Amino acid sequence: MTVLPIVISPDPRLKQRSEAVASITPDIIALVENMFDTMYASNGIGLAAVQVGVLKRVIVVDIEWHPRERHERTIAIRGNPIALINPEIVHSSEDERSHDEGCLSFPGHYSEVIRPDSITVRYQNLQGEECTLDATGLLSTCLQHEIDHMNGIVFVDHISRLKREFIMRKLIKAQKNATNLDS
Ligand code: NI
């Protein structure tokens, strides 16, 4: 089990477009496993590779996992883990839903984001097979959030400038404080 460090905003990598995965190599499979470990350890329901510093079109999601205490430590009971390679939204509904979104790269910050309620995503699984997934509700929101990451878009790009600037100021301040403590 490898929990990787998470890229925290502001970081220029979060603004970059990730590259398509040409083939599912053992490195990609190891990356996916480490991304699941990192996501569960950080209490997240989704993670994009850029958030662990890898600019590849790879995301993992599991909106149904839950923590369980075992031998005095908390472990993640997997719910419905899905790894998506080169995911692409091929259809979005007119209906929308609003969700109070957070992001592991924006620790402690949340904001309502409105997105299409249902989407259809095309992707490759870890066997390299072409798959299609119809998602609605929270899974749809989560997938759209992660697919955004691969295009250098973060959830605060969907909110008002005023709210975004407020959150960015807090993050810059937190980063400065952390640097001061380190030195
Ligand atoms: Ni995120």
Side-chain angles (χ1 to χ4, degrees):
M1 165 162 172
T2 309
V3 175
L4 304 168
I6 292 181
V7 172
I8 302 296
S9 178
D11 185 298
R13 286 171 290 182
L14 293 171
K15 296 271 174 200
Q16 284 175 36
R17 204 181 146 80
S18 294
E19 277 178 16
V21 173
S23 63
I24 318 284
T25 58
D27 278 357
I28 294 291
I29 291 168
L31 170 67
V32 164
E33 277 314 307
N34 293 340
M35 284 171 64
F36 274 120
D37 290 341
T38 305
M39 182 185 83
Y40 293 126
S42 317
N43 267 311
I45 58 170
L47 191 71
V50 58
Q51 292 181 277
V52 293
V54 179
L55 287 154
K56 292 237 157 71
R57 300 184 86 80
V58 176
I59 63 174
V60 297
V61 297
D62 187 349
I63 61 160
E64 293 167 38
W65 77 275
H66 58 276
R68 183 165 296 168
E69 296 297 324
R70 195 175 281 178
H71 306 304
E72 294 178 1
R73 67 189 190 97
T74 306
I75 58 157
I77 306 295
R78 293 182 176 214
N80 182 22
I82 314 170
L84 300 93
I85 313 297
N86 301 326
E88 194 189 339
I89 297 172
V90 293
H91 181 261
S92 305
S93 68
E94 298 276 319
D95 287 355
E96 294 177 324
R97 83 185 286 269
S98 174
H99 187 78
D100 195 27
E101 291 188 27
C103 178
L104 295 176
S105 297
F106 292 73
H109 295 283
Y110 299 86
S111 192
E112 290 287 334
V113 176
I114 298 167
R115 300 179 187 269
D117 182 38
S118 308
I119 55 165
T120 302
V121 179
R122 210 155 47 199
Y123 67 98
Q124 283 130 42
N125 65 14
L126 286 183
Q127 287 72 46
E129 299 157 340
E130 291 290 335
C131 304
T132 304
L133 175 65
D134 292 311
T136 189
L138 180 59
L139 181 59
S140 168
T141 293
C142 181
L143 285 167
Q144 290 174 70
H145 175 120
E146 303 312 331
I147 290 170
D148 268 357
H149 271 302
M150 297 185 318
N151 296 320
I153 298 166
V154 290
F155 81 104
V156 297
D157 293 329
H158 292 281
I159 65 178
S160 72
R161 200 184 73 178
L162 205 68
K163 273 194 203 162
R164 179 169 58 248
E165 285 176 352
F166 175 80
I167 290 176
M168 294 317 294
R169 270 200 303 274
K170 293 259 183 189
L171 285 166
I172 290 164
K173 206 168 156 187
Q175 209 168 59
K176 271 188 192 145
N177 287 343
T179 315
N180 287 343
L181 288 175
D182 286 347
S183 55

